[in-house]
Amino acid sequence: MNSIPSIIIESTWNLRGSAIFLLFSVATVKVSHILYRHLQRSSRFSSMFSSSSSVNGDEALRRNRILSSKLYFDVPQFKVPVIYSKSYNIAFLGIEKLHPFDSSKWGNICRLLIASGMLDKNCIVEPLEASKDDLLVVHSESYLNSLKSSSNVAMMIEVPPVALFPNCLLQHKVLFPFRKQVGGTILAAKLAMERGWAINIGGGFHHCSAEKGGGFCVYADISLCIRFAFVQLNISRVMIIDLDAHQGNGHEMDFANDSRVYILDMFNPGIYPLDYEARGYINQIVEVKSGTHTEDYLQKLDRELKIAGHRFDPELVVYNAGTDILDGDPLGRLKISPEGIALRDEKVFQFAREKNVPIVMVTSGGYMKSSARVIADSIVNLSNRCLIDVRQSSRFK
């Protein structure tokens, strides 16, 4: 009989021990879960903090590069805000003629402006070459390193034989002229803010983004121009009016979802680059199909400029004034007359005048020998219409 209480007592202790062990196990699991969740939150916070710190560090580096750049310099008042260098022109053993783009177009425009009497060659502003640090404001180190490959450069400028030449030759004969034009586009924003307008006789490489070149565009001069303006000119609202026949997919990718930049792109949707991802970042898409004539084009432009003016209030307009919309251009496939192009440019400058906003113009694409004459005549027309003033260049403050 004494053995029964002993069994009961032993069983009771076993049950208590099991219960305590079970409670301890549950508590251990719960504590483990709490610690795990805490570590996860800490890890996410650390990752977010690290990512935020990295972004802030990148922005600080970009800002320092912009502030230490030499591309913004003071221009004497006797010079007009027309920017050009004879270094813009590309001459490379005749190889440049294998591309439909007229690589001496820029020099021909200036020659015609001087011959017209509108421009004194001593009053033209010569820009500096964009340095590696300047280019790193938008481009990555890996992208710039890719330009040390002749085959990569050949692909971007669409001249296959260039791949056979030493890269040092390409740097001097092809990439240096482009870097000078980039310097011109960047400087143009400063001059426009000071004088009301500025025209870079080159530039407008709107197919190039931070990480990708193509379509005869190696450096993203429009994106660089705007990035410099944000910091150096203390502005935060820029409108890009891209009227080249081709979609400006480069700057569209660079300013994807950036509310500080409003993009109106009026282009032929059936030709290069057919970049549908970049189209998703255009604020105002205006399609002009192959065969569109001058009257229809200008009517559509009038309507779209009014819409843009209501939607966005810019502090600076960057105007990509490609002439590949010209009737007969083999790549643009539109049918706009030379007089139509002059009216187009006039309408855009009038838009900026009415909004009292400074405007930068770059010349971009145009694949006919007649493009230089058309551009020069249009600039003369802007002067005749008093939309630019080459005599009193300090008019706008």
Side-chain angles (χ1 to χ4, degrees):
M1 294 190 54
N2 288 337
S3 62
I4 294 174
S6 299
I7 292 171
I8 293 171
I9 291 168
E10 187 177 343
S11 299
T12 301
W13 279 108
N14 287 339
L15 286 171
R16 285 179 180 176
S18 297
I20 291 169
F21 179 77
L22 181 60
L23 288 170
F24 179 77
S25 299
V26 170
T28 301
V29 170
K30 285 187 175 181
V31 170
S32 298
H33 284 172
I34 291 168
L35 286 172
Y36 179 72
R37 287 196 298 269
H38 175 72
L39 288 171
Q40 275 191 318
R41 285 196 296 268
S42 298
S43 177
R44 283 197 298 268
F45 177 78
S46 176
S47 177
M48 288 169 60
F49 180 78
S50 176
S51 177
S52 176
S53 298
S54 176
V55 169
N56 290 338
D58 290 344
E59 283 301 316
L61 183 57
R62 173 184 284 168
R63 182 178 178 83
N64 287 338
R65 283 183 170 130
I66 291 171
L67 292 175
S68 62
S69 173
K70 297 179 180 178
L71 294 180
Y72 271 25
F73 56 86
D74 291 331
V75 174
Q77 287 297 322
F78 75 88
K79 289 185 177 286
V80 298
V82 174
I83 304 167
Y84 168 75
S85 168
K86 63 182 181 181
S87 300
Y88 281 15
N89 301 300
I90 298 173
F92 188 28
L93 305 175
I95 297 292
E96 71 280 358
K97 292 181 172 61
L98 295 176
H99 193 281
F101 189 87
D102 178 9
S103 61
S104 60
K105 177 178 80 172
W106 308 293
N108 290 334
I109 294 167
C110 265
R111 178 178 55 78
L112 290 165
L113 288 174
I114 292 167
S116 74
M118 193 203 90
L119 195 62
D120 185 320
K121 67 178 181 180
N122 296 315
C123 294
I124 297 171
V125 179
E126 174 152 356
L128 299 175
E129 173 195 4
S131 68
K132 179 181 178 181
D133 268 358
D134 295 325
L135 297 171
L136 284 170
V137 167
V138 165
H139 295 294
S140 67
E141 186 94 33
S142 61
Y143 175 76
L144 295 181
N145 284 337
S146 76
L147 300 179
K148 295 176 183 178
S149 162
S150 295
S151 60
N152 285 340
V153 175
M155 184 169 56
M156 292 178 198
I157 66 172
E158 301 173 336
V159 183
V162 163
L164 303 175
F165 288 85
N167 189 259
C168 59
L169 280 177
L170 301 188
Q171 292 289 333
H172 179 66
K173 292 290 189 179
V174 179
L175 299 184
F176 171 69
F178 285 147
R179 290 193 293 268
K180 285 285 277 191
Q181 294 188 47
V182 170
T185 302
I186 291 171
L187 177 61
K190 177 181 185 292
L191 278 174
M193 293 297 288
E194 294 172 349
R195 316 284 183 93
W197 62 277
I199 299 172
N200 183 17
I201 296 300
F205 306 128
H206 66 156
H207 295 309
C208 186
S209 64
E211 296 293 344
K212 185 179 180 182
F216 206 70
C217 301
V218 177
Y219 301 114
D221 66 318
I222 292 175
S223 301
L224 283 159
C225 169
I226 293 171
R227 292 290 184 189
F228 269 71
F230 283 156
V231 174
Q232 287 274 24
L233 304 177
N234 195 30
I235 62 175
S236 59
R237 299 187 310 278
V238 177
M239 179 182 288
I240 299 173
I241 300 177
D242 194 334
L243 302 187
D244 188 276
H246 300 83
Q247 177 195 347
N249 59 321
H251 57 72
E252 288 155 10
M253 292 301 295
D254 285 341
F255 294 111
N257 302 316
D258 190 331
S259 61
R260 298 173 299 173
V261 180
Y262 184 95
I263 300 173
L264 187 168
D265 196 347
M266 188 167 173
F267 62 95
N268 185 341
I271 59 175
Y272 179 90
L274 302 174
D275 190 334
Y276 296 100
E277 180 185 359
R279 288 186 193 183
Y281 303 123
I282 302 172
N283 302 95
Q284 193 172 338
I285 296 177
V286 188
E287 295 186 351
V288 280
K289 296 180 179 179
S290 296
T292 299
H293 288 267
T294 302
E295 186 177 355
D296 291 340
Y297 183 95
L298 294 177
Q299 285 179 355
K300 185 170 284 192
L301 177 61
D302 278 334
R303 182 173 65 251
E304 298 297 334
L305 285 175
K306 286 179 183 177
I307 293 171
H310 288 304
R311 287 184 179 176
F312 194 76
D313 185 26
E315 296 170 284
L316 176 70
V317 170
V318 177
Y319 173 35
N320 198 48
T323 47
D324 47 6
I325 65 170
L326 191 62
D327 189 7
D329 190 285
L331 300 185
R333 302 181 192 172
L334 302 176
K335 294 185 175 296
I336 314 305
S337 67
E339 296 77 17
I341 287 179
L343 280 170
R344 177 200 68 170
D345 295 349
E346 186 180 322
K347 288 176 185 295
V348 176
F349 272 75
Q350 186 63 44
F351 169 84
R353 170 69 63 84
E354 289 173 357
K355 294 188 74 67
N356 197 33
V357 176
I359 182 171
V360 168
M361 173 177 161
V362 289
T363 55
S364 200
Y367 305 92
M368 298 173 67
K369 291 292 184 182
S370 57
S371 284
R373 167 65 69 180
V374 170
I375 295 167
D377 286 349
S378 178
I379 294 172
V380 170
N381 178 65
L382 292 173
S383 178
N384 291 340
R385 298 289 183 181
C386 299
L387 291 167
I388 62 174
D389 190 345
V390 297
R391 295 160 299 176
Q392 183 53 265
S393 59
S394 60
R395 173 190 60 78
F396 186 95
K397 292 293 183 184

